[in-house]
Every structure is written in structure tokens, then in C-alpha cells.
Amino acid sequence: MDKGTEPLESLRREVRDWLEANAPKDWRAACTGHAAFLDTQRGWFAKLAEGGYAVPHWPAEWPGGGRTLAEQKVIYEELARADTPRLLLSFMSTYHAASTLFEWGSAAQQAHYIPRILQGEIWCQGFSEPNAGSDLAALRCRAERRGDVYVVNGQKLWSTMGQFADKCLLLVRTSSEGAKQAGLTYLLLDLKAKGVTVRPIHQIHGDEEFAEVFLDDVEVPVADRLGEEGQGWAVAQSTLSSERGLTLMELSARMRGSQWRIADLIRASGREEDAGVLRDFGRLATKIDAAVAIADQFLANRIAGEERVGDASLVKLTYSRTLRAFTDLGVRLGGIGAQYHEPIVFGGGMETGNWMADFMNSYAWTIAGGSDEVQRNIIAERLLGMPREPKGWTVGAAA
């Protein structure tokens, strides 16, 4: 064995042995309702935290943190191989909230919130609004400072797991002067506060992954502001960079670890010798390897302080297109059986083997966190130096 890979293989055996003893069994059959989903997610997160595998991307001073990128990949690959529940409920907490707090939180804020996240406190994100999703700077949810509190009024949309969350990363407008981005402020909202109403959104394929949040004269202490007033745009970029870096490294690794589902479909349909099917599978495997490599390189560059404007968009766009290709091939190979309605497996991830649901769910990643079109514009204009998209395009009158 190569001495350079020996520690990683040792870690792989360690994680695999631990999963053999601790991974939940038959959870897919059980997680077709919210109660079982919540029990499974909370129990699995607590067990992972106890085993030291819940937050390998956190700094070393936190239990289970300080893992190298190569070690994190090994852990995520083994979690996917063992077909464990993806930690959807704590996803925003351990990635978006924690990463933003590590970068922007005061010592007091970190000491207060980070341990609670590790104990299972659930966070959601309150960025998108009606008419302000991809164009985040256009948001209108307002916060007015009155002494030691901000009074917030407005609506948020597409908050992942918002109906189950305790806290919310809230982006609000505190000024309409100057550039749109300059008037934004970043707050930490207690979703149990007076004036907060959270309502789940029922999706076309039966899931309720998102919620809308209504805020009526909600008071948020000034002490729960991240960064300075008017600095919310910069803080939000840290949150979104987490999504486009650490998150996508995990998701890409899970997708690579789930290729056996496609291989099973090929064997089940007796198409092992079908040259066209093998060609498509080979192309997909190449795309997945590329997505994993791009996400890995992005994170390695970030750690080395070498991030370029547009790099995060490249990672996000590559993942969303590859996920579309993965689920599309699953639907095609699954035949008529893949067209039937099957119960949603809550917390099943993006590659559950419920192919039609996976296929429809894959479209969410072409919109969430900035649509594919927005990512392409960023890559073209800021990374490749192409001409900017003209503003205020109109259709001329017919001659």
C-alpha cells in the first residue's frame, strides 16, 4: 500500500467498521412521514456527533472537526456507501450557520450558538423572497432599528426545513440609499419569537422540504447581528460560499458513492452488453468525477487563499448539471417502473432510487442558491471577462 494513502485507507476501515455497528437500518421504509423523519434525523445526527463524524469540516477545536479535505471525502464516501440518511434537518446548521458564524460571529456569538448546533439546534436560511430569489439584492424585508432591537416586517420564501427550525439566518433591508447591496443587514432570528409565522410548502412530488416565513413586527436584538449594519451582503456571500464549496463537496462525493444504483438498474434490466447504455454510464461517471474534482480543487484553493470571483459559481453549476444527468439516466433506465408514484423518503438525499422524484427534485438545484442562468452570467462576465449582459433589454417595434 502507498504510504501516502495508508492513513486514508485506515480511516476508511475505521469509518466502515463504525457504520457497520451504528448506521440506522431500514430507515428508508420508515421515513415516509414527518414524525419518523424527525426522529431518524435527530437520532442519526446525535450518533454521528458522538462518533466524531458529524462535522469533519469544522475547525479542529470542535469534536470531530479538523479533518483534511481528503479525510472528509473518505467519510462522505463511506456514508454514501452505507446508504445512511443524509443530514437534511441539520444541513443548514452545520454548514451555512456554522461557517458564517466561524467567519463573522463574535467570540460571544460563537460561544453561544456553535455548541447548540452540535447539540442538534436546527437552523434555516431566510434569504429568498417573492420577486427576490436569484436577484437577492432586490429583497424588501425591512428591519428598523429601535434602541437595542431591530423590528422586522416582511416575508421569506423557500426556507429549507424552515417548519422544523429553531433559528434563522435572516437577510433584511435596513436602508434604501445607494447600491441595493449596501442597504442589507444580516440578523440571527429566533423563530419562536413573537410575530413569526412559518408555513410549509407542499411540493409537486409530495415533499415538504421548504417553508415560507412571515414576519410581523418581530423584534431581533442588535446583539444578534452578524457584521455591521449594511454589511449583510458580504456576510451572505460567506453563507453562499459555504453552500457552493463544502456542501457541494459532500453532495458530489455522495453522488459518486451512489453510482451503484445506476449499475443495479443496468443489471436488473439485462443491459450489461448494451453499448449505448454503457456509453451513457461511462459519460455520467466521467461527469461525476469532474464534479468531484472541481469541488475539491475549489476548496483546496480557498484554504490556500486563492479563490477567484466566479469559482464558486463554476462548482455550483457543475453539480446542478451533473445531478440532472444522473437522475435523467436513472429515469430512462428504470423504464415504466420508474414512472410510478412512490412514497417520498424524507431525508433520502438527491439519489434515492425513487427516480421520478429524484428527477423532479434535481431541478431544485438549478434554482436554489442562484439559478444556472445566474451562475453562467457570473462565470462569463467575471471569470472569463466576456461583455456584461445589457441592462433594460426591450423588444423593438416591428418594422
Side-chain angles (χ1 to χ4, degrees):
M1 181 182 296
D2 188 319
K3 289 185 178 179
T5 61
E6 187 173 354
L8 293 179
E9 289 309 309
S10 176
L11 172 64
R12 190 179 297 281
R13 289 193 297 273
E14 170 195 312
V15 176
R16 195 169 293 185
D17 290 344
W18 186 87
L19 287 170
E20 280 288 335
N22 294 281
K25 313 294 183 189
D26 302 324
W27 63 273
R28 287 187 180 277
C31 286
T32 54
H34 284 147
F37 164 70
L38 294 174
D39 286 346
T40 300
Q41 288 278 310
R42 287 176 173 140
W44 181 226
F45 178 79
K47 191 164 283 189
L48 281 171
E50 183 182 346
Y53 301 120
V55 287
H57 54 290
W58 283 18
E61 58 264 36
W62 297 97
R67 295 285 192 179
T68 65
L69 290 177
E71 289 173 332
Q72 291 177 47
K73 281 179 56 185
V74 167
I75 292 171
Y76 295 137
E77 285 170 357
E78 288 304 309
L79 289 171
R81 179 183 176 279
D83 194 29
T84 59
R86 182 166 171 257
L87 292 174
L88 187 59
L89 190 63
S90 54
F91 180 69
M92 286 286 169
S93 314
T94 59
Y95 283 97
H96 299 63
S99 297
T100 311
L101 282 162
F102 284 137
E103 187 166 348
W104 290 91
S106 66
Q109 288 170 328
Q110 291 183 15
H112 180 76
Y113 287 115
I114 297 295
R116 286 170 170 76
I117 290 176
L118 201 53
Q119 291 164 7
E121 186 172 73
I122 304 304
W123 288 66
C124 68
Q125 182 174 293
F127 283 12
S128 296
E129 299 178 5
N131 302 317
S134 296
D135 184 11
L136 189 58
L139 68 82
R140 295 181 297 180
C141 180
R142 294 198 63 86
E144 178 186 350
R145 182 164 178 172
R146 298 178 189 171
D148 294 333
V149 300
Y150 287 98
V151 178
V152 184
N153 284 281
Q155 179 187 355
K156 294 294 178 180
L157 201 60
W158 307 120
S159 294
T160 304
M161 297 284 106
Q163 65 271 47
F164 307 118
D166 306 297
K167 306 288 183 182
C168 178
L169 303 169
L170 186 68
L171 197 58
V172 295
R173 180 162 300 286
T174 47
S175 172
S176 300
E177 301 295 324
K180 292 187 294 185
Q181 292 87 343
L184 302 181
T185 298
Y186 202 112
L187 302 176
L188 307 176
L189 169 68
D190 182 354
L191 287 171
K192 305 299 186 295
K194 182 181 177 183
V196 178
T197 303
V198 183
R199 194 163 61 193
I201 298 173
H202 188 73
Q203 297 162 245
I204 189 172
H205 60 296
D207 204 349
E208 290 183 349
E209 185 180 351
F210 307 102
E212 54 187 341
V213 181
F214 300 91
L215 305 163
D216 298 304
D217 289 330
V218 178
E219 294 187 355
V220 179
V222 174
D224 281 338
R225 184 186 68 208
L226 281 186
E228 299 298 322
E229 185 170 305
Q231 207 174 11
W233 183 258
V235 182
Q237 297 314 300
S238 297
T239 307
L240 294 173
S241 290
S242 161
E243 176 173 293
R244 295 166 190 168
L246 289 167
T247 305
L248 292 177
M249 188 194 76
E250 178 197 347
L251 292 176
S252 299
R254 278 186 171 268
M255 184 159 43
R256 182 156 68 178
S258 299
Q259 290 178 87
W260 62 268
R261 294 190 182 281
I262 300 289
D264 272 3
L265 280 178
I266 294 173
R267 284 190 288 268
S269 58
R271 304 176 75 176
E272 296 98 320
E273 305 299 326
D274 188 321
V277 168
L278 296 179
R279 176 202 60 205
D280 291 345
F281 190 27
R283 285 176 175 171
L284 175 65
T286 304
K287 285 183 179 179
I288 292 174
D289 280 348
V292 171
I294 289 171
D296 289 354
Q297 187 62 56
F298 171 72
L299 277 179
N301 288 348
R302 281 199 78 191
I303 290 171
E306 298 175 357
E307 181 177 353
R308 299 170 300 175
V309 175
D311 280 349
S313 295
L314 192 60
V315 177
K316 203 270 183 179
L317 180 64
T318 302
Y319 175 76
S320 69
R321 304 314 300 176
T322 307
L323 181 63
R324 288 285 310 282
F326 184 98
T327 58
D328 178 77
L329 184 57
V331 168
R332 285 198 287 124
L333 293 176
I336 191 66
Q339 311 293 319
Y340 294 144
H341 175 75
E342 297 286 346
I344 292 293
V345 178
F346 295 102
M350 309 295 172
E351 314 87 10
T352 66
N354 183 350
W355 291 108
M356 185 50 70
D358 290 346
F359 178 74
M360 289 191 287
N361 206 22
S362 71
Y363 280 84
W365 270 97
T366 67
I367 301 171
S371 68
D372 283 4
E373 290 72 20
V374 168
Q375 307 307 329
R376 287 191 177 102
N377 275 351
I378 293 172
I379 293 167
E381 296 172 3
R382 303 182 191 178
L383 193 61
L384 303 178
M386 296 174 71
R388 295 183 67 83
E389 182 182 22
K391 302 296 182 185
W393 277 19
T394 57
V395 178

